[in-house]
Amino acid sequence: GAVVSQHPSRVICKSGTSVKIECRSLDFQATTMFWYRQFPKQSLMLMATSNEGSKATYEQGVEKDKFLINHASLTLSTLTVTSAHPEDSSFYICSARDLGDIGGYTFGSGTRLTVV
Amino acid sequence: AQTVTQSQPEMSVQEAETVTLSCTYDTSESDYYLFWYKQPPSRQMILVIRQEAYKQQNATENRFSVNFQKAAKSFSLKISDSQLGDAAMYFCAYYLWGNQFYFGTGTSLTVIP
């Protein structure tokens, strides 16, 4: 089945630095990928929709300049948390749709970001 | 806006027994998808089962089945012969083609040996 690889799985960074998270579709092409944020014991909150070759679409309340999304190829989307602060600490998950499977979305394994 | 409601924050079931998780949603659309995802402690989101709204027949995947009531906008998940590995957070999700996923708040399932 479709596989989405997300790296790193865990990252600790200092406040003020930037962190890049990668989301790769391994065996299919994904024109659209989604980035979610999940707080402990809560549901997934959509942050943005990443579109290959064009600008990402951000949900209301999500800072575009803080959460930079790049979808440069059909198999890779990246989320960069810029000038990270402790409040950015969270679990980030990406997902992608296999165009060959209508309704089939696969999630990455997530990234635990801790900003100290 | 579409909303998905899971009214049971926590559920428990005895091993080998059956449990049903509830989900209701609100939509004015007629063609959409519904999903149940499982999120174990590893936090990996795993697709359990999905249902296309245009299909009247309830989806089934081994021990997992759904009761899809379109008119009532209800989409419950039944887990039969519960196993310890079924313990996880379960999220109900609604998806409209070309749109985004809407997730419920989740139900934490405990399986008692």
Side-chain angles (χ1 to χ4, degrees), chain A residues 78-106:
Chain A
T78 60
L79 168 67
T80 301
V81 183
T82 63
S83 186
H85 290 284
E87 57 265 31
D88 298 324
S89 298
S90 189
F91 192 70
Y92 294 87
I93 309 177
C94 69
S95 75
R97 177 167 62 89
D98 181 353
L99 293 176
D101 181 13
I102 294 176
Y105 277 81
T106 303

Side-chain angles (χ1 to χ4, degrees), chain B residues 16-30:
Chain B
E17 296 295 312
T18 296
V19 64
T20 299
L21 308 184
S22 301
C23 173
T24 58
Y25 58 95
D26 184 31
T27 185
S28 58
E29 303 291 337
S30 60

Side-chain angles (χ1 to χ4, degrees), chain B residues 73-85:
Chain B
K73 298 178 183 176
S74 170
F75 183 61
S76 61
L77 173 70
K78 185 171 83 171
I79 306 174
S80 304
D81 185 25
S82 296
Q83 300 175 359
L84 295 178

Side-chain angles (χ1 to χ4, degrees), chain B:
Chain B
Q2 283 76 12
T3 57
V4 179
T5 302
Q6 292 179 250
S7 58
Q8 307 154 315
E10 298 178 345
M11 290 283 284
S12 62
V13 61
Q14 206 77 32
E15 194 175 3
E17 296 295 312
T18 296
V19 64
T20 299
L21 308 184
S22 301
C23 173
T24 58
Y25 58 95
D26 184 31
T27 185
S28 58
E29 303 291 337
S30 60
D31 196 10
Y32 48 86
Y33 297 87
L34 296 165
F35 301 83
W36 278 99
Y37 282 93
K38 168 184 177 181
Q39 189 179 42
S42 68
R43 308 287 301 263
Q44 171 76 59
M45 292 288 282
I46 302 167
L47 177 64
V48 175
I49 199 166
R50 77 182 193 204
Q51 174 84 42
E52 289 89 342
Y54 67 86
K55 291 186 178 179
Q56 293 185 338
Q57 187 172 7
N58 289 325
T60 299
E61 287 288 341
N62 300 315
R63 299 183 294 107
F64 299 88
S65 62
V66 298
N67 183 3
F68 174 46
Q69 301 290 325
K70 191 172 184 179
K73 298 178 183 176
S74 170
F75 183 61
S76 61
L77 173 70
K78 185 171 83 171
I79 306 174
S80 304
D81 185 25
S82 296
Q83 300 175 359
L84 295 178
D86 295 333
M89 195 76 168
Y90 286 81
F91 291 99
C92 177
Y94 165 99
Y95 172 69
L96 183 65
W97 184 258
N99 209 301
Q100 63 166 290
F101 271 85
Y102 293 88
F103 288 93
T105 49
T107 296
S108 178
L109 179 66
T110 301
V111 180
I112 304 167

